[in-house]
Amino acid sequence: MDEKPTGPTETRTIEFTDPLATARLGMTLSGLEFLRGMADGTVPPPPIAVLMNMDIESVEEGRVSFGGTPDPSHYNPIGMVHGGFAATMLDTVCGCAVHSTLPAGKAYTSIEIKVSYLRPLQAGTRLVATGVVTKPGSRVAFAEATLAGMDGTLVATASSSLLVFDPRT
Amino acid sequence: MDEKPTGPTETRTIEFTDPLATARLGMTLSGLEFLRGMADGTVPPPPIAVLMNMDIESVEEGRVSFGGTPDPSHYNPIGMVHGGFAATMLDTVCGCAVHSTLPAGKAYTSIEIKVSYLRPLQAGTRLVATGVVTKPGSRVAFAEATLAGMDGTLVATASSSLLVFDPRT
Amino acid sequence: MDEKPTGPTETRTIEFTDPLATARLGMTLSGLEFLRGMADGTVPPPPIAVLMNMDIESVEEGRVSFGGTPDPSHYNPIGMVHGGFAATMLDTVCGCAVHSTLPAGKAYTSIEIKVSYLRPLQAGTRLVATGVVTKPGSRVAFAEATLAGMDGTLVATASSSLLVFDPRT
Amino acid sequence: MDEKPTGPTETRTIEFTDPLATARLGMTLSGLEFLRGMADGTVPPPPIAVLMNMDIESVEEGRVSFGGTPDPSHYNPIGMVHGGFAATMLDTVCGCAVHSTLPAGKAYTSIEIKVSYLRPLQAGTRLVATGVVTKPGSRVAFAEATLAGMDGTLVATASSSLLVFDPRT
């Protein structure tokens, strides 16, 4: 690798389950059943959770927490964990918080998210993201989320709006 | 893997260069030199670029484009590419567009980003993210970005504000 | 007014037309007809336009511009035009840009807006806000907007998502 | 007024104190002193507060609440209170929450704000906006805010980042 003069290389291997099979299973369950299945291991984690070292901490209706730990594979070119790591965790918990309020057969998708980066992130620091539904809805739902260290220090916050729809129409 | 009943597993291995060595090199170069080095292969890509299958398309002062292609490892639990993929690409080009305006020794960090998800993403679709500085600044800079398919169809947009600072003070 | 020791007082009087009557008229027209009526004076301006000294500059399908001039009544306590002035102009043109794409009988409402404040505003400076639909939609539409001085200098930008719905369902 | 055929007109007159005199006074006080002066009537309210029928409810370090009541002059053309009303209240309490953490001589300005519109607003409904600093800072501070009815029902939320600076440099 002549073109990479500045440092040693590392490799990382991830293993994940076919996400489309998981999604088909998901459409037969309520959001709460689906997420609780993911928490207890009967539903496989989505690939993005593996990529970002995320796991479910807790699930209740309208409130979902994921843990996650950035590693060197998440770094940006200026020596910090890329903002995409926090954005992915925060988008995940906003989406799952809304999902936890939906019956089987209802679908959702993120309309937008804003992420505020309060403090820089280091590899190896376990973080907890918690998403809360601020307003459920049959067409649009709103959620907000925090990302904090294990001592409670806020590192990022987010707000998101999500479209709720019937995928058969 | 008894706990993953719903589909076959896949593996993905990535290889990346020590990001802190790259970041130290970066502080000796102007943003434009650093990004052009990344484009011509003399500066290694950051790990996040490898993780998200991103590569630099073009670099000019105040305007940077990256290409990227989501794959199955970027999927969320509802059968779509996770919004974190688009957020990471858009955050990257907003940050790099601001970086391209900075002299050697100046640093930047994202204050916040808002991402609008206009259309869903599929694995295997090559995308181009372009970030443009809407206002440079010695303390705060603003950038906006688009993410589009190769036919120009917009799939996401973003706006971001970034702090510009001297890391020695 | 004993409790206001620091400076002379000014008064401002505004006159506006009953907004609910205007809104009822609006539901019988396409968005483009309604906005063109407002531009040519056959539909009265909404009160907020009077409050913010706004007037329509141009209307086409998916793209609407308003002019506006802040005055001393729009100041915040730290000696600048309040950010709410720019936010109101930008929200207006995002909403009207989406409205201009809707047939009679369809309604819209803002889901959210993000406003970036690039430069401070002074009273007496004529500004033009232009909103453009980045993606129309039957359920969610997206718009982006700029606010600029008459010489084209950007003073603020915004992105917004809007819900499109049938008010009879 | 031949060009306003659809409804009766109303007038509204506001009276406000020279905002630049108030701002000069403000620079000699800490943020907390300035805001408490506004709450107890020894500092005049800014014009925007008069325009939006706002008054201070409470001030403590890092947390500020304003009350406000929209009236017909705040209506948009589609028969609802314009989103700019909520945006102005939310921007105000985010800014004042950060101001309440600053010593005399320090200045701040909003970098950006995102406002989520959870429910529509009606004229005549008293609302309370509360802004809280989520992270103070010597260069950038972050604040979040809620807007709620007197029964606590959330009608809008916001997040904002603000630049903190020394106006003499």
Side-chain angles (χ1 to χ4, degrees):
Chain A
M1 303 292 274
D2 292 337
E3 77 281 17
K4 292 176 180 176
T6 54
T9 58
E10 293 181 51
T11 62
R12 179 185 170 208
T13 298
I14 63 167
E15 181 179 316
F16 55 90
T17 302
D18 175 20
L20 299 181
T22 306
R24 282 190 296 272
L25 170 65
M27 287 307 292
T28 68
L29 302 173
S30 74
L32 209 50
E33 290 168 330
F34 186 55
L35 291 162
R36 287 186 170 152
M38 217 179 279
D40 68 20
T42 57
V43 172
I48 193 77
V50 182
L51 204 66
M52 296 302 193
N53 302 326
M54 292 195 287
D55 49 86
I56 296 190
E57 285 247 327
S58 65
V59 176
E60 55 188 283
E61 192 175 329
R63 183 183 193 94
V64 173
S65 293
F66 274 69
T69 309
D71 68 36
S73 75
H74 302 116
Y75 268 59
N76 66 19
I78 54 171
M80 295 186 294
V81 174
H82 193 284
F85 183 88
T88 300
M89 286 198 74
L90 290 161
D91 191 318
T92 297
V93 294
C94 285
C96 290
V98 168
H99 197 179
S100 74
T101 67
L102 301 182
K106 276 279 185 183
Y108 72 95
T109 187
S110 298
I111 297 169
E112 52 73 42
I113 190 168
K114 180 196 166 187
V115 179
S116 298
Y117 298 113
L118 277 57
R119 292 182 173 86
L121 290 185
Q122 307 290 330
T125 307
R126 169 92 175 166
L127 301 164
V128 176
T130 301
V132 178
V133 175
T134 48
K135 182 179 177 294
S138 59
R139 289 188 286 213
V140 174
F142 294 87
E144 296 190 0
T146 56
L147 183 65
M150 297 309 289
D151 63 353
T153 307
L154 274 183
V155 295
T157 64
S159 68
S160 181
S161 56
L162 301 101
L163 182 68
V164 174
F165 63 102
D166 184 333
R168 294 156 299 186
T169 62
Chain B
M1 306 293 274
D2 292 336
E3 77 279 19
K4 291 177 179 174
T6 53
T9 58
E10 294 182 49
T11 61
R12 180 186 170 208
T13 299
I14 64 166
E15 181 180 316
F16 55 90
T17 302
D18 175 20
L20 297 182
T22 305
R24 282 190 297 271
L25 170 64
M27 286 307 291
T28 68
L29 302 174
S30 74
L32 209 49
E33 289 168 332
F34 186 56
L35 291 161
R36 286 187 171 153
M38 218 180 277
D40 68 21
T42 56
V43 172
I48 193 77
V50 181
L51 204 67
M52 296 303 193
N53 302 327
M54 292 194 288
D55 49 85
I56 295 191
E57 285 247 327
S58 65
V59 176
E60 55 188 283
E61 192 175 329
R63 183 182 194 94
V64 173
S65 292
F66 275 69
T69 308
D71 68 36
S73 75
H74 302 115
Y75 268 58
N76 65 19
I78 55 172
M80 295 186 296
V81 174
H82 192 283
F85 184 87
T88 301
M89 286 198 74
L90 291 161
D91 191 317
T92 297
V93 295
C94 285
C96 290
V98 169
H99 197 178
S100 74
T101 67
L102 300 182
K106 276 280 185 182
Y108 73 95
T109 188
S110 298
I111 297 169
E112 52 74 42
I113 189 167
K114 180 197 166 188
V115 178
S116 298
Y117 298 113
L118 277 57
R119 292 181 174 86
L121 290 185
Q122 308 291 329
T125 307
R126 168 95 175 164
L127 301 164
V128 176
T130 300
V132 177
V133 175
T134 49
K135 183 179 176 294
S138 58
R139 290 188 285 210
V140 174
F142 295 86
E144 296 190 359
T146 57
L147 183 65
M150 297 309 288
D151 64 353
T153 307
L154 273 183
V155 295
T157 64
S159 68
S160 181
S161 55
L162 301 102
L163 181 67
V164 174
F165 63 102
D166 184 332
R168 294 156 299 186
T169 61
Chain C
M1 307 290 274
D2 293 336
E3 76 281 18
K4 292 178 181 174
T6 54
T9 58
E10 294 180 50
T11 61
R12 179 186 170 207
T13 298
I14 64 166
E15 180 179 316
F16 55 90
T17 303
D18 175 19
L20 298 182
T22 306
R24 282 190 296 272
L25 170 64
M27 286 308 292
T28 68
L29 303 173
S30 74
L32 208 51
E33 291 168 331
F34 186 57
L35 291 162
R36 286 186 171 153
M38 218 180 276
D40 69 20
T42 56
V43 172
I48 193 78
V50 182
L51 204 68
M52 296 302 192
N53 303 325
M54 290 194 287
D55 50 84
I56 295 191
E57 286 247 327
S58 66
V59 175
E60 55 189 283
E61 191 175 331
R63 183 183 193 93
V64 173
S65 292
F66 275 70
T69 308
D71 68 35
S73 76
H74 302 116
Y75 268 59
N76 66 20
I78 53 171
M80 294 185 295
V81 174
H82 192 284
F85 183 87
T88 300
M89 287 198 72
L90 290 161
D91 191 318
T92 297
V93 295
C94 285
C96 291
V98 168
H99 197 178
S100 74
T101 67
L102 300 182
K106 276 280 185 182
Y108 72 95
T109 186
S110 298
I111 297 169
E112 52 74 41
I113 189 168
K114 180 196 165 187
V115 179
S116 299
Y117 298 113
L118 277 56
R119 292 181 174 86
L121 288 185
Q122 308 291 331
T125 306
R126 169 93 174 165
L127 301 164
V128 176
T130 300
V132 177
V133 175
T134 49
K135 184 180 175 292
S138 59
R139 290 188 284 211
V140 174
F142 294 86
E144 296 190 358
T146 57
L147 183 66
M150 298 310 287
D151 63 353
T153 306
L154 273 184
V155 295
T157 64
S159 68
S160 181
S161 56
L162 302 101
L163 183 67
V164 174
F165 62 102
D166 184 333
R168 294 156 299 186
T169 61
Chain D
M1 306 292 274
D2 292 336
E3 77 280 18
K4 292 176 180 176
T6 53
T9 58
E10 294 181 51
T11 61
R12 179 185 171 208
T13 298
I14 64 167
E15 180 180 315
F16 55 89
T17 303
D18 174 19
L20 298 182
T22 306
R24 281 190 297 271
L25 170 64
M27 286 308 292
T28 67
L29 302 174
S30 74
L32 208 50
E33 290 168 331
F34 186 57
L35 291 162
R36 286 185 171 152
M38 217 180 277
D40 69 22
T42 56
V43 171
I48 193 77
V50 182
L51 204 68
M52 296 303 193
N53 302 327
M54 291 195 287
D55 50 84
I56 296 192
E57 286 248 325
S58 65
V59 176
E60 55 187 282
E61 191 175 329
R63 183 183 192 93
V64 174
S65 291
F66 275 70
T69 309
D71 68 36
S73 75
H74 302 115
Y75 267 59
N76 65 20
I78 54 172
M80 295 186 294
V81 174
H82 192 283
F85 183 87
T88 300
M89 286 198 74
L90 290 162
D91 192 317
T92 297
V93 294
C94 285
C96 290
V98 168
H99 196 179
S100 74
T101 67
L102 300 182
K106 276 281 185 182
Y108 73 95
T109 187
S110 298
I111 297 169
E112 51 74 43
I113 190 167
K114 180 196 166 187
V115 178
S116 297
Y117 298 113
L118 276 57
R119 291 182 174 85
L121 291 184
Q122 308 291 330
T125 306
R126 168 95 174 164
L127 301 164
V128 176
T130 300
V132 178
V133 175
T134 48
K135 184 180 176 293
S138 58
R139 290 188 284 213
V140 174
F142 294 86
E144 297 190 358
T146 57
L147 183 65
M150 297 310 287
D151 63 353
T153 306
L154 274 184
V155 296
T157 64
S159 67
S160 181
S161 56
L162 302 100
L163 183 67
V164 175
F165 62 101
D166 184 333
R168 295 157 298 187
T169 60

